[in-house]
Amino acid sequence: MKGSKARRALPGFGLSLGFTLFYISLIVLIPLAAVFFKTFELSWAELWSTITNPRVLASYRISFTTALWAGLINAVFGLLVAWVLVRYPFPGKRFIDSLVDIPFALPTAVAGIALTTIYAKTGWVGSLLEPLGIKVAYTQLGIIIALVFIGLPFVVRTVQPVLQDLEKETEEAAVMLGAYRRRTFFKVVLPELMPALLTGFALAFARGIGEYGSVVFISGNMPMRTEIAPLLIMTKLEHYDYAGATAIAAVMLTVSFILLLIINLLQWRMSRRAIPD
């Protein structure tokens, strides 16, 4: 009937929006606000002294740099894994595809113990790298490997659906027009995949910043060298320094939010460019 509202199977916008805001506030906003409120129990002098302590600054540097390197490595090899799983049929493809999700299901502490055992001096891989002068366990390289392990599925599972929906006719047309395969990939395929690839990178990067279980064993936890910020937060909590722990967490939260905002803006700009006028 003209002028009447169409009936919908799902609740209306008002109810859905209200439930969404309530859920996000309860699960995300309120806990994050509590971090800042607890931090404000410190005076400005105490806060500045806590977050600029050399040990704390070193933990920030280690956490963010290792997470960044792991995210970049995952962006490259996650794209490669997704490409192989989507574009090529081969025996055992379903098994390999299921292996990608193991870091999601495996407890992070188990992953950390397994990686430490493998990459230690007496481990399967560590014993081979040791004569070459490459030390993995108890170094920042070991942290990066652990973060690559837990972050790879984010990139693969983000890029994989986009690759499946990508029309091969566009690539074939580019090849028929004389474009080489490398030029076709960088000029035709990669721009279509870039928003999804950035999303996967952002997820892997964010997970790496806050990762604790898989890193705490392989890092060795040496202050100023391999001590990550989440471990330093746990150390302060064990000493009942809750305000100091939340101060470190608040800085990590602020920097992470700014970095993720920049990544999302880049993703939005690339998505706008991909939309034809």
Side-chain angles (χ1 to χ4, degrees), residues 2 62 65 85-86 90 107 127 129 161 171 177 185 190 199 209 212 226 244 272 277:
K2 188 176 181 180
I62 294 169
T65 54
L85 291 175
V86 172
F90 56 90
S127 60
L129 297 177
E171 303 173 44
L177 291 174
F185 176 78
L190 190 59
T199 300
I209 291 174
Y212 174 79
T226 60
R272 288 289 301 270
D277 295 332

Side-chain angles (χ1 to χ4, degrees), residues 257-270:
F257 177 78
I258 294 173
L259 292 175
L260 292 177
L261 179 62
I262 294 173
I263 293 172
N264 287 331
L265 288 175
L266 290 174
Q267 179 189 3
W268 176 75
R269 291 189 63 181
M270 290 182 177

Side-chain angles (χ1 to χ4, degrees), residues 5-159:
K5 293 183 178 180
R7 297 179 61 86
R8 300 184 180 183
L10 297 177
F13 174 74
L15 180 61
S16 300
L17 179 61
F19 178 79
T20 300
L21 293 177
F22 171 77
Y23 184 80
I24 292 177
S25 299
L26 186 65
I27 301 299
V28 179
L29 297 181
I30 294 177
L32 294 184
V35 171
F36 287 96
F37 283 131
K38 190 67 178 180
T39 301
F40 291 150
E41 293 181 1
L42 298 172
S43 65
W44 285 109
E46 292 173 334
L47 176 61
W48 182 254
S49 176
T50 299
I51 63 177
T52 58
N53 183 278
R55 183 178 176 182
V56 176
L57 293 177
S59 69
Y60 287 149
R61 177 182 57 81
I62 294 169
S63 292
F64 283 103
T65 54
T66 54
L68 177 61
W69 277 111
L72 293 174
I73 293 172
N74 277 326
V76 175
F77 289 96
L79 174 60
L80 179 62
V81 172
W83 185 277
V84 171
L85 291 175
V86 172
R87 292 299 178 92
Y88 303 109
F90 56 90
K93 179 178 178 178
R94 291 183 179 273
F95 176 71
I96 299 298
D97 189 47
S98 64
L99 286 180
V100 174
D101 294 325
I102 283 184
F104 284 153
L106 191 68
T108 55
V110 176
I113 294 173
L115 291 173
T116 305
T117 303
I118 293 172
Y119 287 100
K121 290 183 179 180
T122 56
W124 296 344
V125 180
S127 60
L128 300 176
L129 297 177
E130 186 70 19
L132 302 176
I134 302 175
K135 186 178 180 181
V136 177
Y138 316 126
T139 66
Q140 293 186 29
L141 178 59
I143 298 176
I144 294 173
I145 290 176
L147 297 183
V148 168
F149 175 79
I150 57 100
L152 180 65
F154 290 100
V155 179
V156 175
R157 296 310 183 205
T158 306
V159 174

